Structure formats: structure tokens, C-alpha cells
Amino acid sequence: MRSPPWFDKDEQHEPQTKAGLHPLEVMIKAKVAAMLEKKKLLGDGQADQGKFVLKTAKGTRDYGPKSMAVRESVLKIVTDAFKRHGAETIDTPVFELRDVLMGKYGEEGGKLVYDLQDQGGELLSLRYDLTVPFARYLAMNKISNIKRYHIAKVYRRDQPVMTRGRYREFYQCDFDIAGQYDLMIPEAECLKIVDEVLSKLEIGEFYVKLNHRYILEGMFAACGAGSDQFKTVCSSIDKLDKQPWNEVEEELIKEKGLSKDNTEKLGRFVRLREFNPSMGNVELLDKLMEFEELARNERFKKGIEELKVLVNYCTLFGVRSIRFDPSLARGLDYYTGAIYEAVVPNILFSRIPEALEGVNLEANGEEQKGLPVGVGSVAAGGRYDELVGNFIGPTGPKGKEKRQDVPCVGVSFGIERLFAIMEAKMQIEQMQVRTTETQVFIASAQKNLLQERMKLCGQLWDEGFKVEMAYKANPKLLTQLQYCEDRLIPLVLIVGERELQEGVVKLRNVKTREEQDVPLTELVSTIRSVLALI
Amino acid sequence: MRSPPWFDKDEQHEPQTKAGLHPLEVMIKAKVAAMLEKKKLLGDGQADQGKFVLKTAKGTRDYGPKSMAVRESVLKIVTDAFKRHGAETIDTPVFELRDVLMGKYGEEGGKLVYDLQDQGGELLSLRYDLTVPFARYLAMNKISNIKRYHIAKVYRRDQPVMTRGRYREFYQCDFDIAGQYDLMIPEAECLKIVDEVLSKLEIGEFYVKLNHRYILEGMFAACGAGSDQFKTVCSSIDKLDKQPWNEVEEELIKEKGLSKDNTEKLGRFVRLREFNPSMGNVELLDKLMEFEELARNERFKKGIEELKVLVNYCTLFGVRSIRFDPSLARGLDYYTGAIYEAVVPNILFSRIPEALEGVNLEANGEEQKGLPVGVGSVAAGGRYDELVGNFIGPTGPKGKEKRQDVPCVGVSFGIERLFAIMEAKMQIEQMQVRTTETQVFIASAQKNLLQERMKLCGQLWDEGFKVEMAYKANPKLLTQLQYCEDRLIPLVLIVGERELQEGVVKLRNVKTREEQDVPLTELVSTIRSVLALI
């Protein structure tokens, strides 16, 4: 039995701290090398086989045991938080009737939906997110209140950027509260969850930007941009976290048709947080109300008041990471109230693409050129009160009753990005990842002890221990011990002829290399107590 | 706040034990009623909305919180077993390049693959099982040994039978051991896992049929059916668990072209277990060797000897559920050695379709007519030594070296069937299913205590407790207590004005309705110790 060879190629290298190199730089170099290697391998494979290139579909990847172990540790923190808040879970099919998805993601999004081939029967598409299937589920089952989470993969035919964790198949991890409840209480719980998850992941500093659709609408209206321009102005403002103001300003004037004066005014509004970096949330909300043209807009005023309530509730819940930011303009059509986005200004993560600049990789056929550097948004959400109602439509005997809306608010974690951050963190901190939970390995000291090993194995499995043994009739002792050291298995039971005659087995602590003879009759209790101490 | 209304419609009814009716019959009647109700609802919806029918794609379903809770409990038992045996987990994309899947599932299977629409770029298909993607993963990453499990959904455009748990989207739950190891040791571990999982699920009697490709080949050859007829004869023999011998015999003669004599001979071989129901495995293997025309076939002999080794290893592992059965003829092309299939002769499950006979349901558009009654196979697998090599092809500098095979053996649990059996069992035994893990509910006795509740909630979440509160500013106490009883939440903290002034809260045990005042300073430790006792 050899040392396990199944770690992903780009996971295998150990981060080295060579003279003068930051561990991160070493890691990046290794990553690049691994990718070039991969490319070479792929090329070779193609020539040799003549059949077809052995690869996964564009924008997708396999997850080897080590990646999966990291993912499971991140997902555990997230699901634990959801469960701590009393959420149930549901699951919906990976594809929906095409009509269910149509018109929900704007023009841009619609183009990215994967359609299934018409093989007779219904027209189907892969889900693009979990929110629309959730709304369909509520409407179809006439459910008017639920607190649920849903962790599943979604599909977008986007340009993939594998090095930055942007895939065509990726996990979403959603928590939503549906129901007619009192103002801002569910929102506060969503923000509490974001705060808990990001704290527990220990990925460094983070904060949660907060805004409200009414505030955006009010600011835009005061600058001559009516509701028909809401989306398009949002999409410009939304770029402020990646582009300087003068570029956004130019876009607003040249492409969106705002006047120079109005654009300047809008700049004063949306950049208020930027101009007052140390100001508290309530102070900043009050400051925005000082603009007369905003304050006389009732809807705007309502937005400000609602956020004040939310800020207070967050304080009561012990959430200190929120920052009101009038430049937060999440573009999704369906938001109707508060919106938020958690940001990790993580230097680790944002430096990786820089280091790769100029390297034209085609790992697994993906092109990496000319793509914008992201900002480290790791969770986002908001209130969407009308999405479910859109599915239900007007009800009642004549179809003329009022809409049956099911108010919803939720948050979605950018779990792929969290995985990537966590993997980078673990490599830099040289943390060892166990891919199995094996507690005891049953080894043999001499030949012809297979039957004894099997009997012991069976007994220990039946007692609930996590146990492995070599699948060889006569494995070498050293190979077996080496396997345990490689896989971080804490205990080895060594079966030997002398010991069997005496009715004992040798119990070895892999780390300390201490050994003791344990009578077979006391084996279970001894292992249990030794494991309890490790 | 109302009693939670989000249970699936067909889950909501309580099993009643009306006079003279078996609980199962009550359950079935309720299920039929719920389905007819669902059909009606769907019809109405269509008429009212005018837009489109709100439904999931044919052959798929949503899983509500209660179904998910049952699924998670089943999956936990399965994954615990996999982890107890030292398995790692991997994940592969939901779609593969079409070429990867082509020609792996025979003519029948190939027709059932879901293709994605050609939207420019690669031609993709949804995975049909997890075995072919696993083999592709091993070949692509040049992995020659791994013990992995993979739990994920697969897709088949089959005729769905929703009432019997046959869907177009369903979970597979695979455990496989890849690597060049000694004879039958990995097989024995697979069978041990099947034994452990089915025992722990407590779904009643089960046994595992065992056979070997070489034994099937030997028996067929002795009856004039060569290797070109292997698959087609297998498919007839495979029907023996659902059809009487005379029907299979007729098929073999009329459709497969076997002579009357040869068919009779084959019957004597494959029905050996049927004729000797109480015979032990080794005895039965020996008995088959008594047929001279079989014994002189070296390959057949090897099959018999290998199974004898496996039977011995199973005994050492404490597996008592295996039954050598020469009529087991799993049709998959890729098996090369031992094959096995676990069967639950479960009366509960097999009676449901009978009761539904004559009822022409169209729940969610599925037709239920004219479909064969299944036999309760809940796990199956075997050895497939050549599948990975087929992907790798011949290697070496000139592509003329010998094939790079990666021997594999594995088992796949029919997890959807296990879910269905478990759901039926829970309904019949009237077991209550909790869909959340909430430990403490924070209630208020009077109005205007929202802020106090929120503060307490935040503190208890931070301490790691699973806590909920009403999303209303002024909920009624009775409504809050009723919610806890409905959801089986064990503890309620009641915040009241009198208590707050005294620096205490009331802690109520929901089941016993006992209440005690707890000082706020001792709250965390008190809750911890009370929960430990519940």
C-alpha cells in the first residue's frame, strides 16, 4: 500500500517558505506551475488517445478528497448557523420548466441559462439560482410562511475564471424567511447569521454593506432618473466598488443620459460613506436626510426609517459588522426593501489574480484573460416581497382579488469564494487536512495473519469504531505504519503471532510511537479510553 | 404565528386507525386521496392563472422539510458507515461531455440520457450514474487507488412511477474501492457495509444475493450460449425474481434461441438456490461444481473458488446476510467478477402498489399504469476491473503498451427506495419527525418586550444554543407556546415585566409544563444542564 496518490494535482505541493519569498508567492508560483503541467498533460492525453480528450465540461471541475474535506468543514459552519436559527431545509429539482425561469434574471442573466435539449415532452432548463425555485415551491404548495435553507449547485453559462473560483457549476447556500412578519425582524436575523458565519470561519476582517431600494430610488429620482431608469443607473452605481468615480460618472452621463449637474449631485449622495468613513450608521442615515430634495420624498424617508430600525435590531442581536452604504446597488430586479452585501477585503485572495497577470493559462480549456478583478463579496441578499406573488398571480373566484404576496427576505452565501479563501488560508497556515476519520488501523507484524485482522476489524466496526486495514494478505509492517502516519490515523493495532498466543494485541500511538500490549478482552474499553484522551 | 403549514400535502395527514382498517390501508387511502386532491389543485391552478401550470418537471419532485428530515436521517446512517470504513468523498459535475457517457449503458440506457441543448461549445449530458464519472475521474487524474463514496443525484429519462419511488432525478449513494489488491478483501468490505447499513436502518429482514460473472458465463456456455449471448441471456435470467420460470423459459427458447434441452439444463443450474432453500453457501457452491459440464470449465471453477473465499471473509467480518444465488444476473456490461444485490422482501412496501391498482392517477402528470411491481432491491454492486482502463486506453510511447487497468469494486445503495421504506415505516409507527433542531424558544408574556427578547436571543445564539423567537413585535403568549408544542421545541424562556424587574426569566419545560424562575446571570449554565437531561 502506497502513500495515497489521489490528492488533486494542484493540491499536492507543500507550501514552502524559500528565502525571500512570501508563502503566498510560493503558493502562487506552485499553482501556476501545476496549471501549466496540467495543460501539458491534457495536450499529451489528446495526442495519445486519439479517442477524445479526457476532461470535465468547460467551467466545471471535480472535487478531490482534500477539496471536499475543506468544503465540508465550511458547509458545516454554515449549516450549523442555519440550524441554530431554527431553519428547515428543502430540496428542489436541478432543472425547472423553462417557463418558470423565463424573465426572472434580466436580459443578461437569461442568456446564461443552460437549456436541456428538447427530447420530446417538456422544455427544461437547469436552475440559475435557488431563489426562483424557492418562490415556485412556495407558490405551488401554497406555503405562506417558512424559514428554510437550501444548499445546492446552480448553473450559469458564464465566462468561467477557474483561478478565481468562478465556475459554471457552483454551490449556492441560501437562507430565507417567508411570511408576513413585523418590520425588519427577519432582516436582522439574516444579518446576524452572516455575522456568525463569517466570524466562525475566521477569514479575517469583514463588513456588511447595507442599503434600501427606497433610498436608491429616492436618490435617483432627485437626480432626474425615474423608475424606468432604476435598473440601468443601479448597474452603473454597482461598479463603484471596482471603478473610480470619474469612470462611473462618465458612464452615467454618456451612456445613461444623466446631466452633468445631476450626476454630480448623485455622486454626493452615493459617496457619502466614502466621504465620512468613520461616521456611525445612524449618523450617516441622518446626514442623508439633511438633503432637502431627498427628505421631501416620502418613499425615501420610509427607507431611511426602516434602516434605522434594522440598525437598532442588529445592535440588540450583537451584530457590529453592518455599514450603511448608499452606493450599494445590487442589481437584481426582485428586491423590494433592504439589501445587503458582505465584503471580505482579503488581501490574500485579491493578490492571487495579480500574480497570475500575463500568464495566459488554459487550464481545462478556460481562458483567463481580460476579466475584472472581483471585490470579495462573500454573502448578499435582501427583501423580495413580490417574487412569489408573481407566480401565484391574482386569485379568487374571478381572478380579480388582490395579489397573494408572500413577503420574503433572505441571504445567499458566496460559498465557492469562501471555499477558495479557506483553501488558501489552510495552505498558507500549513494546516493539515484529514480526508478520512479513521481512528484505528489494524496491522499485522508477520505473514498469514489476514484472518485475525479481518476478525478484529469486524468486531471493532460493530463497536462503532472507524477502522481500516490493508487489502493485502501479507502487507509489510513498515508500509502499514507509514500509511497511518501519512493519513494522520491516531492508533494502530498490531497483530502478531507472539501476541496472539498470549491473548493480547499491541496498541501503538502513531504520534508518540508508544506501544502497549492490550488483552483482547479489554480491547474495546482500552481503545475507547485512549481515543477519548487524544 | 400559526402552526407550520409547510408540510408536503401528502405528508400532512395523520395515520388513523379506524375500526377494522389496518394502519397501512388507512395510509394508502389517505395517500390516494391526497393525490386526487393534488390533481384537482393542479387542474384549478391551470384554469385560474392562464399563464402556465405551476409544477416541477416530469418525474421530479420537491422535497419538503419533513421529507428532507427523513432523508437526512437515512443518509447519516449511510455516510457514517462509509466513514467508519475509512472512505473519502469526492464530487464530480452534474453534466459530463457527451462522449464520456456514450456507449457505457447499453442500448436501453443510452436512450435515457438527458442531453443539454447545443448552445455553442461542448455537447453535454446529465450524468446517468456515478460510476462512469468516477472512472473518468480516476483515468483523468491518473489515480490508481482510492476508497471513496459519492452521494449525488443522477438523471434518467425513464418512465417515472412516483408512488413507487421511481423518479427521473434521484440520489445515488456509491461506495467504491479502486486499486490492485488481494482477492476478495475489498468485496468483503463492500458486503460488510451493506450489512451494517441495512441492519442499522431497521427496515426488517434483508439478505444479499451473491453471484459471479464467471459462474454465469460457465452456466450459459454449458447450455450453448456463448459470450455473444451473455447479455441477452442475463436479461432473461434477471427476470426470475419477478416472473415464474415457465415465462423465462419461453423467452429463452422463443426469443433467445436456446434449445428446449439447454433451457431445461440452464434452469437446473440457475434455480439451484430455489430447489435447496436451506442449503449453506459453501454447500451450494460445491453442489454446482458437481455438474461435470460446469466443473471442467476453468473460468467457472475460478468463479466458484473466488466466491468461496468471499464467503469465508464475510464470515470473518461477521456478515451473515449473504446468499449465493446462481440466478442473480445483473445486466450491466462492465461487471467482471463478483456481483451482489441486497433484497428487502418488505411486505409494507410491496403492498402499496397493489392497493393503488386500478386507480389511474396523474399526480404531477405522471402515468402509473402497466408498470411492473419491483422486488425491493435496495443495494447492488460488484467488481468492474476494466471500466477505468477503457478511458485510459493503451499507453506508452507508441500507444502499444499493455492496458492500464485500475481494478474496482463497489456498491450502490438504492437510497430513494430506502427513503420510501423509511417514510412508510415512520408513518405506520406514527413516529414524529422534527424538521428543526431548535432547543429554546424565547417568548414574551406581555407587549413591548421585543428588544428584551432580541437581546436574549442574540446572547444565546452566541453561546451556541439553537434558538428561535416570533418575528412579531407583540405576539400572543398562547400562540408562542402552541408553536413550541407543535414543533417539539423542548424549552421556552418567557420574558415578562415582573421577571425582568427581578432579574429573572421563566424557563418552561414544554412537555412537562413545569416552570422555574432562573436568574439572568445563571441562564446559560441552567439551560445547558436542563438540555443535558432532556
Side-chain angles (χ1 to χ4, degrees):
Chain A
M1 194 174 283
R2 290 178 299 119
S3 169
W6 48 73
F7 290 166
D8 290 349
K9 274 274 171 313
D10 54 351
E11 287 174 342
Q12 234 169 10
H13 64 89
E14 291 290 315
Q16 302 154 37
T17 34
K18 283 182 190 160
L21 281 184
H22 186 277
L24 184 68
E25 287 169 291
V26 177
M27 189 186 88
I28 291 160
K29 274 182 196 294
K31 210 144 199 143
V32 172
M35 278 170 169
L36 292 172
E37 177 66 15
K38 206 170 198 171
K39 186 183 165 185
K40 218 181 78 195
L41 281 177
L42 279 170
D44 288 352
Q46 197 160 8
D48 270 356
Q49 288 172 29
K51 288 189 291 186
F52 57 89
V53 189
L54 215 48
K55 64 192 280 294
T56 60
K58 179 171 179 176
T60 67
R61 56 167 288 197
D62 295 318
Y63 297 97
K66 216 170 169 179
S67 290
M68 286 301 283
V70 176
R71 293 190 155 231
E72 291 197 339
S73 71
V74 173
L75 283 180
K76 185 170 180 348
I77 286 174
V78 178
T79 47
D80 280 355
F82 294 161
K83 286 181 180 175
R84 199 159 47 243
H85 288 261
E88 304 174 300
T89 187
I90 69 161
D91 195 16
T92 64
V94 81
F95 42 68
E96 294 276 347
L97 296 185
R98 198 165 299 164
D99 282 343
V100 168
L101 305 187
M102 282 297 112
K104 304 296 188 306
Y105 304 110
E107 208 184 322
E108 293 284 297
K111 286 181 203 152
L112 305 182
V113 170
Y114 275 98
D115 291 329
L116 266 71
Q117 192 172 302
D118 183 359
Q119 292 170 289
E122 303 157 335
L123 294 179
L124 306 173
S125 299
L126 297 187
R127 63 185 164 209
Y128 180 89
D129 69 3
L130 301 177
T131 309
V132 169
F134 176 54
R136 192 266 308 143
Y137 170 78
L138 295 184
M140 183 174 140
N141 297 286
K142 305 192 192 310
I143 292 167
S144 57
N145 61 334
I146 187 172
K147 173 159 59 174
R148 84 86 179 81
Y149 68 93
H150 190 186
I151 299 174
K153 287 174 171 179
V154 303
Y155 299 88
R156 298 185 187 177
R157 291 181 62 256
D158 216 336
Q159 191 56 37
V161 201
M162 316 290 272
T163 43
R164 312 221 40 259
R166 203 213 285 176
Y167 293 92
R168 290 181 158 196
E169 174 185 60
F170 58 98
Y171 269 103
Q172 278 202 342
C173 196
D174 285 17
F175 172 91
D176 293 85
I177 300 170
Q180 190 71 57
Y181 298 121
D182 284 342
L183 190 66
M184 293 294 151
I185 312 179
E187 277 86 343
E189 183 160 25
C190 290
L191 292 170
K192 176 69 176 169
I193 287 178
V194 172
D195 193 72
E196 285 178 15
V197 167
L198 297 181
S199 303
K200 279 184 196 287
L201 285 174
E202 297 179 343
I203 51 173
E205 188 205 336
F206 68 91
Y207 57 90
V208 186
K209 295 183 193 174
L210 189 66
N211 204 358
H212 196 294
R213 186 183 178 118
Y214 291 180
I215 294 177
L216 286 168
E217 284 176 353
M219 295 188 303
F220 297 173
C223 303
S227 58
D228 56 323
Q229 279 188 288
F230 179 75
K231 253 169 71 178
T232 187
V233 175
C234 266
S235 99
S236 298
I237 298 300
D238 195 35
K239 293 173 184 163
L240 267 179
D241 52 6
K242 314 177 206 61
Q243 289 178 15
W245 168 250
N246 62 342
E247 286 178 22
V248 171
E249 191 176 30
E250 200 181 312
E251 183 178 306
L252 283 169
I253 295 169
K254 289 200 179 149
E255 292 175 31
K256 311 294 163 86
L258 262 69
S259 74
K260 178 100 180 105
D261 282 358
N262 273 334
T263 307
E264 264 174 31
K265 199 202 282 179
L266 187 56
R268 279 195 297 279
F269 299 155
V270 297
R271 299 172 75 195
L272 202 67
R273 159 68 68 193
E274 192 184 328
F275 298 142
N276 302 280
S278 61
M279 204 174 260
N281 291 315
V282 175
E283 237 179 321
L284 210 60
L285 286 161
D286 284 338
K287 196 165 181 76
L288 209 53
M289 276 296 281
E290 286 170 14
F291 293 100
E292 214 174 280
E293 60 268 61
L294 295 177
R296 64 171 169 251
N297 178 333
E298 280 304 317
R299 217 164 141 86
F300 175 87
K301 216 169 123 189
K302 191 155 184 279
I304 294 284
E305 277 160 15
E306 288 195 6
L307 284 198
K308 278 189 177 175
V309 172
L310 180 53
V311 167
N312 177 36
Y313 288 169
C314 281
T315 309
L316 291 167
F317 273 162
V319 177
R320 271 168 292 271
S321 51
I322 55 166
R323 270 197 214 175
F324 167 58
D325 188 337
S327 76
L328 174 67
R330 293 183 36 76
L332 276 174
D333 288 6
Y334 51 63
Y335 286 120
T336 54
I339 52 174
Y340 31 83
E341 181 172 293
V343 175
V344 177
N346 195 309
I347 190 166
L348 286 184
F349 193 61
S350 60
R351 274 182 63 193
I352 295 175
E354 276 170 42
L356 289 176
E357 217 165 1
V359 183
N360 181 10
L361 295 168
E362 279 199 22
N364 216 356
E366 317 309 327
E367 300 193 14
Q368 318 271 341
K369 305 168 282 191
L371 289 152
V373 171
V375 286
S377 152
V378 290
R383 174 160 289 282
Y384 52 102
D385 283 348
E386 289 161 16
L387 189 62
V388 181
N390 287 346
F391 279 108
I392 302 176
T395 55
K398 288 172 192 169
K400 284 175 182 172
E401 308 288 307
K402 83 184 222 308
R403 279 171 56 96
Q404 293 290 307
D405 275 328
V406 178
C408 293
V409 62
V411 61
S412 180
F413 285 89
I415 201 80
E416 297 289 340
R417 203 164 270 189
L418 291 173
F419 290 145
I421 294 173
M422 196 55 108
E423 279 189 337
K425 185 190 159 201
M426 291 177 109
Q427 279 187 314
I428 288 164
E429 295 177 5
Q430 304 202 21
M431 285 162 70
Q432 284 184 299
V433 184
R434 279 202 77 180
T435 57
T436 69
E437 298 175 9
T438 308
Q439 300 165 314
V440 185
F441 189 90
I442 302 195
S444 50
Q446 296 96 14
K447 289 192 173 182
N448 301 321
L449 292 167
L450 175 62
Q451 306 227 354
E452 286 71 17
R453 280 191 288 138
M454 291 187 98
K455 246 159 79 178
L456 266 177
C457 237
Q459 285 163 14
L460 294 184
W461 282 326
D462 290 345
E463 290 289 338
F465 293 110
K466 294 164 185 157
V467 185
E468 281 188 84
M469 55 171 265
Y471 295 131
K472 297 274 185 186
N474 296 307
K476 287 180 189 153
L477 183 56
L478 263 180
T479 316
Q480 297 173 80
L481 294 180
Q482 188 57 50
Y483 178 84
C484 296
E485 298 207 353
D486 292 346
R487 311 292 305 260
L488 307 172
I489 298 171
L491 297 180
V492 189
L493 278 184
I494 303 170
V495 183
E497 277 168 22
R498 191 261 311 159
E499 288 84 355
L500 279 180
Q501 278 164 11
E502 296 174 17
V504 300
V505 284
K506 206 176 270 177
L507 181 64
R508 180 187 168 103
N509 181 318
V510 175
K511 209 170 177 184
T512 64
R513 301 191 178 181
E514 284 169 328
E515 294 183 349
Q516 57 172 312
D517 278 355
V518 180
L520 282 170
T521 49
E522 292 165 24
L523 191 57
V524 168
S525 58
T526 308
I527 295 176
R528 240 186 268 284
S529 50
V530 171
L531 281 174
L533 295 174
I534 287 176
Chain B
M1 195 173 284
R2 290 176 299 120
S3 170
W6 50 72
F7 290 163
D8 289 349
K9 276 271 169 319
D10 54 350
E11 288 173 340
Q12 235 168 9
H13 64 89
E14 292 290 319
Q16 302 153 37
T17 35
K18 283 182 193 161
L21 280 184
H22 186 278
L24 183 69
E25 287 171 291
V26 177
M27 191 185 87
I28 292 161
K29 273 183 197 291
K31 207 145 203 147
V32 173
M35 278 170 170
L36 293 171
E37 177 66 15
K38 206 169 197 171
K39 187 183 165 185
K40 215 180 79 198
L41 281 175
L42 278 169
D44 288 353
Q46 195 163 9
D48 271 356
Q49 290 172 27
K51 288 191 292 188
F52 57 89
V53 188
L54 215 48
K55 63 192 279 298
T56 60
K58 180 173 178 176
T60 68
R61 55 167 287 195
D62 296 318
Y63 296 96
K66 214 170 170 182
S67 289
M68 287 301 282
V70 176
R71 298 192 150 229
E72 292 197 339
S73 70
V74 173
L75 283 179
K76 184 167 180 348
I77 286 174
V78 178
T79 48
D80 281 355
F82 293 161
K83 287 181 179 174
R84 198 160 48 243
H85 288 260
E88 304 175 299
T89 187
I90 69 161
D91 196 17
T92 64
V94 81
F95 43 68
E96 295 277 347
L97 296 185
R98 200 165 299 166
D99 281 343
V100 168
L101 304 188
M102 282 297 114
K104 303 297 188 305
Y105 303 109
E107 207 186 318
E108 292 286 295
K111 286 182 203 151
L112 305 182
V113 169
Y114 275 99
D115 291 331
L116 267 71
Q117 193 171 302
D118 183 0
Q119 292 171 291
E122 303 157 334
L123 294 180
L124 307 173
S125 299
L126 298 187
R127 63 184 164 210
Y128 179 88
D129 68 4
L130 301 177
T131 310
V132 168
F134 175 55
R136 193 265 307 144
Y137 169 80
L138 295 184
M140 182 174 141
N141 296 286
K142 303 192 194 310
I143 292 166
S144 57
N145 61 335
I146 187 171
K147 173 160 57 177
R148 83 88 179 80
Y149 68 91
H150 190 187
I151 298 173
K153 287 174 173 181
V154 302
Y155 300 88
R156 299 185 186 175
R157 291 180 62 256
D158 216 336
Q159 192 55 35
V161 201
M162 316 289 274
T163 42
R164 312 222 40 257
R166 203 213 288 172
Y167 293 93
R168 289 181 159 197
E169 173 184 61
F170 58 98
Y171 269 104
Q172 280 203 340
C173 196
D174 285 16
F175 171 91
D176 293 85
I177 300 170
Q180 190 71 58
Y181 298 122
D182 283 341
L183 189 68
M184 293 292 151
I185 312 181
E187 278 86 342
E189 185 160 22
C190 291
L191 292 171
K192 176 69 176 168
I193 288 178
V194 172
D195 193 73
E196 286 178 14
V197 167
L198 298 182
S199 303
K200 279 184 197 289
L201 286 174
E202 298 180 342
I203 50 172
E205 188 205 338
F206 68 91
Y207 57 89
V208 186
K209 295 183 194 173
L210 189 65
N211 204 358
H212 195 295
R213 186 182 180 119
Y214 291 179
I215 294 176
L216 286 168
E217 284 176 354
M219 294 188 302
F220 298 174
C223 303
S227 56
D228 56 322
Q229 278 188 285
F230 179 74
K231 252 171 69 181
T232 185
V233 175
C234 267
S235 98
S236 299
I237 299 299
D238 196 35
K239 292 173 185 163
L240 266 180
D241 51 6
K242 313 180 205 59
Q243 289 177 16
W245 169 250
N246 62 341
E247 286 178 22
V248 172
E249 192 177 29
E250 199 181 314
E251 183 178 307
L252 283 169
I253 296 170
K254 290 199 179 148
E255 292 174 32
K256 311 295 162 84
L258 262 67
S259 74
K260 178 98 179 108
D261 280 358
N262 273 332
T263 308
E264 263 173 32
K265 200 200 284 180
L266 187 55
R268 277 195 297 278
F269 298 155
V270 298
R271 299 173 74 195
L272 203 66
R273 159 68 69 194
E274 191 183 328
F275 298 143
N276 302 278
S278 59
M279 206 174 258
N281 290 313
V282 175
E283 234 178 322
L284 211 58
L285 286 160
D286 284 337
K287 196 163 182 77
L288 210 51
M289 277 294 280
E290 287 169 13
F291 293 99
E292 214 175 277
E293 60 268 61
L294 295 176
R296 64 172 170 250
N297 179 334
E298 281 304 316
R299 218 166 140 85
F300 175 87
K301 217 170 124 187
K302 192 159 183 275
I304 295 283
E305 276 160 16
E306 288 196 6
L307 285 197
K308 278 189 178 177
V309 173
L310 180 52
V311 167
N312 177 36
Y313 288 170
C314 282
T315 308
L316 292 166
F317 274 164
V319 178
R320 271 169 292 270
S321 51
I322 55 167
R323 270 197 213 177
F324 167 59
D325 188 338
S327 75
L328 175 67
R330 292 184 38 76
L332 275 173
D333 289 7
Y334 52 62
Y335 287 119
T336 55
I339 52 174
Y340 30 82
E341 182 172 293
V343 175
V344 178
N346 196 308
I347 189 167
L348 286 185
F349 194 60
S350 59
R351 272 183 63 191
I352 294 175
E354 275 170 45
L356 289 175
E357 218 166 359
V359 183
N360 182 10
L361 294 168
E362 276 198 24
N364 217 355
E366 316 309 327
E367 300 191 15
Q368 319 270 342
K369 304 169 281 190
L371 289 151
V373 171
V375 285
S377 151
V378 291
R383 175 159 287 283
Y384 53 101
D385 282 349
E386 290 162 14
L387 190 61
V388 181
N390 287 345
F391 280 109
I392 302 174
T395 55
K398 291 173 189 165
K400 284 174 182 171
E401 307 288 307
K402 81 181 219 312
R403 281 170 55 97
Q404 294 289 308
D405 274 327
V406 178
C408 293
V409 63
V411 62
S412 180
F413 284 89
I415 201 80
E416 297 289 340
R417 202 165 271 189
L418 290 174
F419 291 146
I421 294 174
M422 198 55 109
E423 279 189 336
K425 185 190 158 197
M426 290 176 110
Q427 279 188 311
I428 288 164
E429 294 178 5
Q430 305 204 19
M431 286 163 71
Q432 284 184 301
V433 184
R434 279 201 76 179
T435 58
T436 69
E437 298 177 9
T438 308
Q439 300 166 313
V440 185
F441 189 92
I442 302 194
S444 50
Q446 296 96 12
K447 289 192 172 185
N448 301 322
L449 291 168
L450 175 62
Q451 307 227 353
E452 285 72 16
R453 280 190 290 141
M454 290 186 100
K455 246 160 76 181
L456 266 178
C457 235
Q459 286 163 13
L460 294 185
W461 281 326
D462 290 346
E463 291 289 339
F465 293 110
K466 294 165 186 157
V467 186
E468 281 187 83
M469 56 171 264
Y471 295 131
K472 297 274 185 186
N474 296 307
K476 287 179 190 154
L477 182 57
L478 263 181
T479 316
Q480 297 173 81
L481 296 180
Q482 187 58 48
Y483 178 85
C484 296
E485 299 208 352
D486 292 347
R487 312 291 305 257
L488 306 173
I489 298 171
L491 296 180
V492 190
L493 277 184
I494 303 169
V495 183
E497 277 166 21
R498 191 263 310 163
E499 288 84 354
L500 279 179
Q501 279 164 10
E502 295 172 18
V504 299
V505 283
K506 204 175 271 176
L507 181 63
R508 180 187 167 102
N509 182 319
V510 175
K511 209 171 176 184
T512 64
R513 301 189 178 182
E514 285 169 327
E515 294 184 349
Q516 56 173 310
D517 280 355
V518 181
L520 283 168
T521 49
E522 292 166 23
L523 190 56
V524 167
S525 58
T526 307
I527 295 176
R528 240 186 268 285
S529 49
V530 171
L531 281 175
L533 294 175
I534 286 175

